[in-house]
Amino acid sequence: MSVLAAYAVPHPPLIVPGVGRGEERGISATIASYEEVARRVAAHRPELVVVSSPHAPAYRDAWAITDGRRLRGDLRQFRDREDELDCVVDDAFCAKAEELAAAQGLALFRRAWRGEPMDHATFVPLYFMCRQFGDFQLAVVGLSGLSAHEHFELGKVLAQTVALLDRRCVYIASGDWSHKLKEDGPYGFAPEGPRFDRMLADTFAANDLEQLFRYDEDIVEAAAECGLRSFQIMAGALDGLEYTGELLSYEGPFGVGYGVAAFEVQHAAS
C-alpha cells in the first residue's frame, strides 16, 4: 500500500463557522475546495491521515511527530467554544517512522512532541474531513529549520513507513501562502507576497512539485509564507509515485494567500 492522495490546504481559523461567524463567506471558494477535498478523502477511506503542520511543535534542528494514544484539540483561542476534535494516534506508525528516520540520519522524535494538543493548522483540515469521514488514525509532524532537501527526505521516510506498515494513507500538507498580500491586511504588503503566490499557484497547476525547491530564498522570506516546508514534505511523500495534480482554488481577500491543491495517486496499490 502507498500514499493514496495528498492535499495542500490552508488553515484560516475563520473558515470554521464557529470562529468566522459569517466572515467565512469571504473565502467561499476555499470552503468549496475544502469540501471537495473532504469528499475525496472519504472516497479513499484511509486508515491513516498524516498531517504536516507549521503550527505543530517545531525545532531548529529536528522534527516532532505525535506521541501518545490520542490527540485532542479545539479553537477556544479563537473564541469558538463549541468545536472540538479527539483523534486516535497511530502510534505504531509514528514509532516506525522515527526508527526509519534515524536509520537515514534524520532527526524525527516522538518525545519532541512534549504532550502538545492539536494545533489549529491541523484542526482546520480535520474539521472538514471528519464531517465526511472520521474512521481513521492520525499522525502529525511539525516543521523544522532544516533544509528543503531534508524536508523532502522526511516525506520519503513517511511514505516508506506507510508502505512498510501497509496503511491506506492520505497525506495533508497544511500551510498558508504569503501573509503579505495587502496593505490593510494583518501583516501588511510586500511585492514578493503576490509574486510568491503566483509561483506556487503555477507550481501546483502544472503538477510540477520539483519547482518547490527552486524558489528564490529572498522572495520566500519576504513573502512571509508558512506552508512551503509542509509542501516540500508532501513532495517527498509523493516521490516515485505517478499522480495527477490540480489547483482547486486560490484567493487572498484578507491579505493572506489561501490555496487548495489536490494530488491523486494513479494505480495506487490496493
Side-chain angles (χ1 to χ4, degrees):
M1 188 67 66
S2 67
V3 173
L4 303 173
Y7 304 99
V9 297
H11 48 253
L14 66 82
I15 202 172
V16 177
V19 177
R21 301 178 187 274
E23 192 176 359
E24 70 274 11
R25 290 192 292 268
I27 50 173
S28 58
T30 301
I31 293 173
S33 293
Y34 244 125
E35 291 172 344
E36 171 62 17
V37 166
R39 285 191 290 270
R40 295 190 187 194
V41 171
H44 286 300
R45 303 189 65 81
E47 300 165 300
L48 168 67
V49 172
V50 178
V51 180
S52 52
S53 168
H55 295 283
Y59 299 88
R60 179 181 60 82
D61 56 356
W63 297 276
I65 190 168
T66 33
D67 190 18
R69 296 181 179 275
R70 307 192 78 88
L71 187 64
R72 300 176 176 89
D74 58 54
L75 294 177
R76 289 177 179 267
Q77 63 178 311
F78 302 102
R79 298 181 298 176
D80 178 355
R81 298 188 176 277
E82 300 296 327
D83 293 303
E84 298 178 343
L85 290 174
D86 183 353
C87 296
V88 177
V89 171
D90 190 336
D91 190 57
F93 173 87
C94 297
K96 181 57 68 173
E98 182 180 50
E99 177 186 326
L100 294 182
Q104 299 186 35
L106 297 174
L108 176 70
F109 302 118
R110 288 178 293 161
R111 68 177 184 271
W113 195 265
R114 299 183 182 275
E116 287 294 312
M118 185 184 298
D119 65 279
H120 75 272
T122 301
F123 187 102
V124 170
L126 294 184
Y127 167 82
F128 283 90
M129 289 165 207
C130 287
R131 294 192 300 171
Q132 297 275 350
F133 179 76
D135 188 19
F136 60 83
Q137 294 190 359
L138 177 68
V140 183
V141 62
L143 308 184
S144 77
L146 296 168
S147 70
H149 173 72
E150 287 166 300
H151 282 79
F152 177 80
E153 291 298 317
L154 176 63
K156 290 172 62 176
V157 165
L158 297 175
Q160 290 165 6
T161 309
V162 168
L164 184 64
L165 297 182
D166 196 28
R167 297 288 198 266
R168 293 183 57 82
C169 174
V170 165
Y171 189 93
I172 305 296
S174 181
D176 293 341
W177 296 17
S178 172
H179 290 61
K180 294 278 191 176
L181 299 182
K182 298 180 69 174
E183 290 285 2
D184 60 352
Y187 306 95
F189 174 79
E192 292 87 353
R195 184 175 178 186
F196 173 83
D197 281 13
R198 284 194 297 270
M199 291 191 306
L200 192 50
D202 289 345
T203 294
F204 287 159
N207 191 27
D208 184 5
L209 297 183
E210 291 184 4
Q211 293 182 25
L212 295 172
F213 303 89
R214 301 174 187 155
Y215 297 164
D216 185 294
E217 292 184 4
D218 291 337
I219 294 175
V220 172
E221 182 175 359
E225 55 74 38
C226 82
L228 181 57
R229 287 172 295 170
S230 183
F231 305 149
Q232 288 167 341
I233 299 175
M234 178 185 72
L238 290 170
D239 184 57
L241 300 175
E242 181 183 349
Y243 57 89
T244 60
E246 59 182 319
L247 179 66
L248 298 179
S249 66
Y250 170 79
E251 54 191 347
F254 306 126
V256 179
Y258 303 136
V260 180
F263 301 90
E264 301 288 343
V265 174
Q266 307 299 297
H267 311 300
S270 60

